[in-house]
Amino acid sequence: MRGVRRFVKDLLRGRRTKPFTVDRTDESQLRTAIALKAGGADTGPSPEFVESLRERLRTELDDNPPVELPRGNSRRRFVTSVAAASAASIGLGAAIERGLSGAGSAVTAEPPPADQTLMPDNGEWRAVVAAKDLPDGSVRPFDAGTMIGFVRRTSEGLYAVSGVCTHLGCKLALDGPARQLNCPCHNAAFAVDGSVLHHRLPTALAPLPKLMVRESEGVIQVFVPPQPA
Amino acid sequence: MSDDRYPDWEAVYNDNVDRVYRLMYAKVGNRPDAEDLAAEVFVTALRPLRLAASVGEVRAYLLATTRTVLAGYWRRTLGREITVLEEDWALVEPAADSGHTGAGARAEAILAELPERYRRILQLRFLNACSLKEAAAELGVTVGNAKVLQHRALRQAAVVADRMEA
């Protein structure tokens, strides 16, 4: 409750809000406080901000200006550039870029290899589901705070994959009967092992990164980046 | 913008900075964070941008970047996505008021469901930017009572907001 009160106080004073441990009951109060605050007058950007950001962009882009392309084939090229930006966005959206090493940390337009496993430099094992709730052949979604994903058990072992589409970073939804993970944004679908089932994107779609997973003392744990301090 | 395309990155910026900022403000509720996040959107989005794309494609791209920057912000700060950007067409097909996010109407809808004193304290504090002391004077109560009233009103407003979303 103290965290919520401090958050609201900062909000009302127009200050940055500070991190704290949030539970589900806090969430709706925070969301409502934001909705009410944003409903007030004067929510546009200040002229000073608009000008200072323009100057910043001018400085950064003049060093490496955006590339002007011929008009022909522009859509395909644009989509490729979106894919490159989206690779960065996925890291932001799922917080998988921070603290990760290996293939998972690179921001690139090229699809990562199919057997990519995310390995945080500074990770921790976090319990995501009771072992008894993950019988052979089943799949369960999880939210480990810094990562979301899906764990599954087969007769051969435990597996976990990221729950974020590798296209634009949308959250995937589990279709249990079909044993697939659907992206609500652009109708892509992945198998529960992370491989791409189908999509209609004009660019290659990378498979879902895999996560390290284990069973310990009756719970399934995944290895994920730690919560921010 | 001839041929439905932006002539340069500055035109992209000029045409979209207001909307991106307002979307961020509607989702985080404070100016410093909204400014940082809007800046992050443009820094992330403009560098790889190909200007041969249409205005609609550029706006869709900015919207996708805005959504993921916002999601990253919540995961970094609170570990949960407190607010999400769902207005898929807010950037692609903006309303006549280019900065419209529907935030005012939503706040009014929530307040309309509350008992009078709860509605009044939240109006004074959140919409009218009154201090606790000013709000207490307006309501004829002590500052301590106004504080308690505000917390209770916000809890009730959250219940209303949840019901409206359900």
Side-chain angles (χ1 to χ4, degrees):
Chain A
M1 183 51 73
R2 283 177 56 193
V4 173
R5 291 189 177 189
R6 191 180 65 181
F7 184 97
V8 171
K9 195 173 176 180
D10 287 339
L11 206 62
L12 289 171
R13 291 187 176 183
R15 298 189 298 220
R16 291 177 202 283
T17 51
K18 297 175 186 64
F20 70 101
T21 304
V22 180
D23 62 34
R24 288 206 180 279
T25 57
D26 296 336
E27 265 188 60
S28 69
Q29 280 198 62
L30 301 185
R31 196 161 32 241
T32 305
I34 291 167
L36 292 174
K37 186 67 170 59
D42 187 31
T43 55
S46 68
E48 295 78 20
F49 164 72
V50 171
E51 189 50 40
S52 68
L53 179 55
R54 180 185 287 111
E55 282 306 309
R56 177 182 166 190
L57 291 168
R58 189 172 287 145
T59 303
E60 295 191 12
L61 295 174
D62 281 351
D63 292 341
N64 184 16
V67 179
E68 184 78 71
L69 294 174
R71 290 290 166 88
N73 204 19
S74 63
R75 175 159 179 83
R76 190 193 66 75
R77 288 167 187 260
F78 171 73
V79 169
T80 303
S81 72
V82 169
S86 300
S89 300
I90 290 163
L92 290 166
I96 58 176
E97 193 179 354
R98 282 179 299 111
L100 298 181
S101 66
S105 63
V107 174
T108 170
E110 295 301 318
D115 61 350
Q116 175 200 37
T117 298
L118 297 177
M119 298 175 64
D121 288 335
N122 183 28
E124 61 189 26
W125 288 102
R126 191 152 325 135
V128 292
V129 63
K132 65 181 173 50
D133 293 332
L134 192 70
D136 267 9
S138 64
V139 185
R140 293 281 182 275
F142 70 81
D143 183 345
T146 50
M147 291 203 69
I148 58 172
F150 299 89
V151 287
R152 69 191 170 100
R153 190 198 295 273
T154 72
S155 56
E156 295 172 346
L158 289 165
Y159 303 90
V161 293
S162 161
V164 176
C165 182
T166 52
H167 174 219
L168 286 179
C170 296
K171 279 185 179 177
L172 299 172
L174 172 64
D175 179 345
R179 294 188 66 76
Q180 69 183 48
L181 308 172
N182 298 328
C183 177
C185 296
H186 297 94
N187 296 322
F190 299 84
V192 292
D193 66 2
S195 59
V196 178
L197 286 177
H198 63 77
H199 68 87
R200 298 180 64 184
L201 303 166
T203 182
L205 186 62
L208 298 174
K210 294 170 182 166
L211 311 176
M212 294 168 65
V213 58
R214 72 181 185 187
E215 181 174 342
S216 175
E217 298 179 348
V219 294
I220 307 299
Q221 300 174 327
V222 291
F223 196 62
V224 297
Q227 295 277 14
Chain B
M1 284 173 282
S2 63
D3 199 18
D4 197 29
R5 285 177 165 78
Y6 291 109
D8 52 36
W9 70 263
E10 202 156 346
V12 176
Y13 177 73
N14 291 340
D15 191 41
N16 292 285
V17 63
D18 189 83
R19 274 193 293 274
V20 169
Y21 172 88
R22 284 173 188 269
L23 281 174
M24 281 303 190
Y25 186 87
K27 297 301 176 185
V28 298
N30 75 82
R31 189 171 285 277
D33 283 332
E35 289 182 350
D36 282 357
L37 296 174
E40 188 177 336
V41 169
F42 283 102
V43 169
T44 303
L46 288 184
R47 189 175 294 284
L49 188 66
R50 300 301 192 263
L51 294 169
S54 73
V55 167
E57 287 173 318
V58 171
R59 287 179 178 164
Y61 169 46
L62 283 172
L63 179 65
T65 308
T66 302
R67 180 185 293 117
T68 48
V69 165
L70 177 67
Y73 165 76
W74 285 127
R75 288 191 172 276
R76 283 196 306 273
T77 56
L78 296 185
R80 290 172 179 269
E81 289 184 42
I82 302 301
T83 57
V84 295
L85 193 56
E86 292 164 337
E87 299 87 345
D88 279 4
W89 300 106
L91 283 173
V92 181
E93 297 291 343
D97 167 12
S98 64
H100 178 70
T101 61
R106 177 163 165 68
E108 290 297 337
I110 294 169
L111 293 178
E113 300 274 323
L114 296 176
E116 174 59 25
R117 285 181 75 73
Y118 282 1
R119 173 165 58 245
R120 194 75 190 114
I121 184 77
L122 294 182
Q123 266 174 343
L124 290 167
R125 294 285 281 142
F126 285 85
L127 301 186
N128 301 351
C130 288
S131 68
L132 207 51
K133 195 174 172 183
E134 290 166 338
E138 180 77 19
L139 292 168
V141 299
T142 65
V143 169
N145 283 345
K147 192 185 278 187
V148 171
L149 191 62
Q150 176 188 307
H151 293 313
R152 288 178 180 168
L154 182 60
R155 274 208 302 271
Q156 184 64 29
V159 173
V160 169
D162 283 351
R163 195 174 65 230
M164 289 169 66
E165 283 174 10

